[in-house]
């Protein structure tokens, strides 16, 4: 069965500092991987996705993520955080065949300090 | 701006009421989803419609009744809900429920409170 682990419940980063949010997955093959962001009172917005090919993927809002098969990880990064990035971030895994049921991690809440 | 529109944004109802949540998308997607999200938790899948047919029901209580009138619309009919059903209800759509390289797009949700 697929599973996703986001080990950090909360992370606080100073504005302008770099950010890395961790995501580890468990899946028998290479899954489809996603990062979503949820601002308070909003739905989930897709930041980026990985299906195959280049292991470094670029997303919206200056985010990027790197797929590392050997570590079963798909960590999200941003070189300089803005106050508006404060939100909940969810990593999700989907199978590469069959019905696309997303398995979400428990989320990481990002706080941005001045 | 989200491409998946949900109404209403907020809904307060009593346990004996009947109400409906609505979701609309105009991206030509053929798969639509209902999720339930409790505070500080990830979304939990409830139902999936694929080509206007219910394909997945994640053992959701019958007091929740989904309906897909056409490929752009998805409803969730509510009746005799319990206080524990208070949550954010999210609608999502994707090109096809069997193609993982077509990600799901979410609406902003309906915040439901059961009195």
């Amino acid at each position: 069965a697929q599973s996703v682990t986001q080990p950090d419940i909360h992370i606080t980063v100073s504005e302008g500092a770099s950010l890395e949010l961790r995501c580890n997955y468990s899946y028998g093959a290479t899954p489809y991987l996603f990062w979503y962001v949820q601002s308070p009172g909003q739905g989930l917005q897709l930041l980026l996705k990985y299906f195959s090919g280049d292991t470094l993927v670029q997303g919206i809002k200056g985010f990027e993520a790197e797929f590392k098969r050997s570590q079963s990880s798909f960590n999200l990064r941003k070189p300089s955080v803005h106050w508006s990035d404060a939100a909940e971030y969810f990593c999700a895994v989907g199978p590469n065949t069959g019905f696309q049921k997303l398995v979400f991690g428990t989320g990481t809440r990002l706080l941005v300090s001045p | 701006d989200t491409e998946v529109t949900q109404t209403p944004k907020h809904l307060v109802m009593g346990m004996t009421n009947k109400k409906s949540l609505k979701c609309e998308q105009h991206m030509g997607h053929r798969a639509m989803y209902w999720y339930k999200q409790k505070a500080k938790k990830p979304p939990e899948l409830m139902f999936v419609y694929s080509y206007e047919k219910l394909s997945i029901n994640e053992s959701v209580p019958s007091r929740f009744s989904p309906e897909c009138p056409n490929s752009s619309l998805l409803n969730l009919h509510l009746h005799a809900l319990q206080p524990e059903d208070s949550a954010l209800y999210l609608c999502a759509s994707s090109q096809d429920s069997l193609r993982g390289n077509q990600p799901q797009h979410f609406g902003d949700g309906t915040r439901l409170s059961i009195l």
Side-chain angles (χ1 to χ4, degrees):
Chain A
Q2 304 164 74
S3 67
V4 180
T5 301
Q6 293 182 248
D8 303 305
I9 297 174
H10 296 103
I11 282 186
T12 300
V13 175
S14 298
E15 190 169 16
S18 64
L19 169 71
E20 183 169 27
L21 302 182
R22 295 183 290 166
C23 173
N24 291 96
Y25 67 89
S26 174
Y27 185 64
T30 300
Y32 293 143
L33 295 160
F34 307 87
W35 274 100
Y36 285 89
V37 61
Q38 186 176 32
S39 298
Q42 304 283 315
L44 277 68
Q45 182 181 24
L46 180 67
L47 284 176
L48 46 76
K49 57 190 182 289
Y50 174 78
F51 301 139
S52 64
D54 192 349
T55 57
L56 185 63
V57 293
Q58 302 296 321
I60 62 172
K61 304 185 179 187
F63 285 92
E64 67 178 25
E66 185 171 13
F67 170 64
K68 292 187 177 180
R69 184 191 307 274
S70 61
Q71 298 176 21
S72 297
S73 69
F74 188 56
N75 293 348
L76 182 71
R77 301 195 294 247
K78 186 170 184 178
S80 178
V81 167
H82 187 262
W83 64 266
S84 60
D85 293 323
E88 188 85 22
Y89 290 80
F90 292 99
C91 181
V93 168
N96 55 23
T97 59
F99 170 64
Q100 294 304 307
K101 178 175 179 176
L102 289 180
V103 176
F104 287 91
T106 50
T108 297
R109 177 160 295 279
L110 173 64
L111 304 172
V112 180
S113 60
Chain B
D1 289 337
T2 182
E3 296 171 327
V4 177
T5 303
Q6 292 188 241
T7 56
K9 293 191 182 304
H10 302 276
L11 179 62
V12 179
M13 57 186 287
M15 289 189 284
T16 59
N17 292 155
K18 288 184 180 182
K19 295 286 186 184
S20 297
L21 309 185
K22 297 186 182 301
C23 175
E24 188 170 7
Q25 58 89 13
H26 293 291
M27 295 180 282
H29 289 172
R30 301 314 300 267
M32 296 186 77
Y33 310 76
W34 279 116
Y35 287 85
K36 174 183 179 180
Q37 186 180 25
K38 300 287 277 185
K40 302 186 188 303
K41 298 289 187 184
E44 300 172 21
L45 183 65
M46 300 174 71
F47 302 104
V48 180
Y49 273 82
S50 180
Y51 291 84
E52 299 159 51
K53 294 191 189 316
L54 182 64
S55 58
I56 297 288
N57 176 342
E58 292 284 288
S59 302
V60 178
S62 59
R63 57 186 184 268
F64 295 91
S65 176
E67 178 196 20
C68 190
N70 59 56
S71 60
S72 300
L73 292 174
L74 184 66
N75 298 323
L76 186 63
H77 302 298
L78 315 172
H79 174 54
L81 294 194
Q82 303 299 307
E84 61 265 28
D85 297 322
S86 297
L88 181 68
Y89 288 84
L90 294 165
C91 174
S93 70
S94 68
Q95 186 70 34
D96 188 318
S97 64
L98 296 179
R99 293 172 60 188
N101 60 355
Q102 301 294 332
Q104 296 180 26
H105 297 260
F106 287 80
D108 284 339
T110 294
R111 176 74 59 189
L112 177 65
S113 298
I114 307 300
L115 300 179

